[in-house]
Amino acid sequence: MRKTPKPLLLPGGGYRRLKSFQIARLVYDLTCRFVELYVDPASRTCDQMTQAARSGVQNIAEGSVDGRTSRKLELNLTNVARGSLEELKLDYEDFLRRRNLASWPSQHPALIRLRELRISTLADFQEWVAWSRAETSAAYSEIAANGILSLLNLAILLLERQLAAQVRDFERNGGFSEHLGGLRKRALSGCR
């Protein structure tokens, strides 16, 4: 029985199904709204936060698509996405610190509720903020920044797991160049 050859192009491009992509895209939407409300639009911070959030989303997508022909590029872009979200996380932490607003621990009741709700839209997040405001009496900006930080921590954790899985997959299955070389060897051996 003849063994079916592996396809030349590696699987990839399914980034929309990745939880890391979904959370990063939500963080981007929330960040755009956050900077509209709480950050001076003429400031460098406004642009930096928006671009870091966008970079997180775009690099997950690009890495997933480019992974079809380069696992190295996929790993690199996934790590760039992780770095962009880490940079954004620092911006939110700075926002809270510079305004003397509380940075909530991960076990804060409002953050526990945020995780339990599995928020996936801007409207869901706004409902959570309203609920949190009634429960905590904290400023809206404090609630929003802490909620987005919680989502950023989740996205970064998911990207770290994604990177580890990409490394394991490369170790087990190799990359595009190895598949291409194998295809060429099979083609040449069939010619003799």
Side-chain angles (χ1 to χ4, degrees):
M1 187 169 169
R2 191 165 192 198
K3 188 176 177 183
T4 306
K6 291 182 180 178
L8 177 59
L9 292 177
L10 301 168
Y15 61 89
R16 291 182 188 276
R17 292 186 308 269
L18 294 171
K19 194 68 175 168
S20 61
F21 175 81
Q22 294 165 7
I23 299 295
R25 187 170 54 181
L26 176 59
V27 164
Y28 171 69
D29 292 344
L30 294 171
T31 297
C32 289
R33 183 73 176 132
F34 185 89
V35 298
E36 285 174 11
L37 295 172
Y38 305 115
V39 179
D40 176 5
S43 73
R44 179 89 171 109
T45 301
C46 180
D47 183 55
Q48 283 293 111
M49 289 179 76
T50 304
Q51 290 307 313
R54 182 184 181 281
S55 177
V57 176
Q58 298 301 111
N59 281 293
I60 294 168
E62 187 177 351
S64 177
V65 172
D66 289 354
R68 298 196 72 201
T69 58
S70 174
R71 291 297 189 208
K72 179 181 176 183
L73 190 53
E74 178 183 35
L75 281 162
N76 184 50
L77 289 169
T78 303
N79 196 51
V80 169
R82 188 195 157 290
S84 294
L85 295 181
E86 193 71 45
E87 177 185 336
L88 181 60
K89 182 178 163 184
L90 289 172
D91 285 329
Y92 279 104
E93 290 169 351
D94 288 346
F95 177 89
L96 291 169
R97 188 186 72 254
R98 288 181 28 239
R99 287 162 181 79
N100 293 318
L101 298 171
S103 180
W104 297 350
S106 64
Q107 293 307 307
H108 188 285
L111 295 180
I112 292 171
R113 180 167 172 84
L114 175 73
R115 289 189 297 272
E116 289 170 350
L117 291 172
R118 298 180 183 259
I119 288 171
S120 62
T121 67
L122 179 60
D124 293 344
F125 190 81
Q126 288 170 327
E127 285 180 30
W128 171 79
V129 168
W131 175 88
S132 298
R133 173 76 173 168
E135 294 293 314
T136 67
S137 299
Y140 285 110
S141 60
E142 179 181 316
I143 296 166
N146 278 289
I148 296 168
L149 276 167
S150 182
L151 292 169
L152 276 165
N153 285 331
L154 175 58
I156 291 166
L157 174 68
L158 292 170
L159 285 170
E160 287 172 356
R161 290 179 182 170
Q162 193 172 321
L163 282 164
Q166 289 169 350
V167 167
R168 284 191 306 274
D169 181 60
F170 180 76
E171 288 171 345
R172 280 195 296 268
N173 302 312
F176 178 76
S177 297
E178 292 161 319
H179 288 266
L180 190 60
L183 180 67
R184 180 77 176 132
K185 283 181 185 177
R186 285 191 298 278
L188 290 174
S189 67
C191 293
R192 293 179 195 185

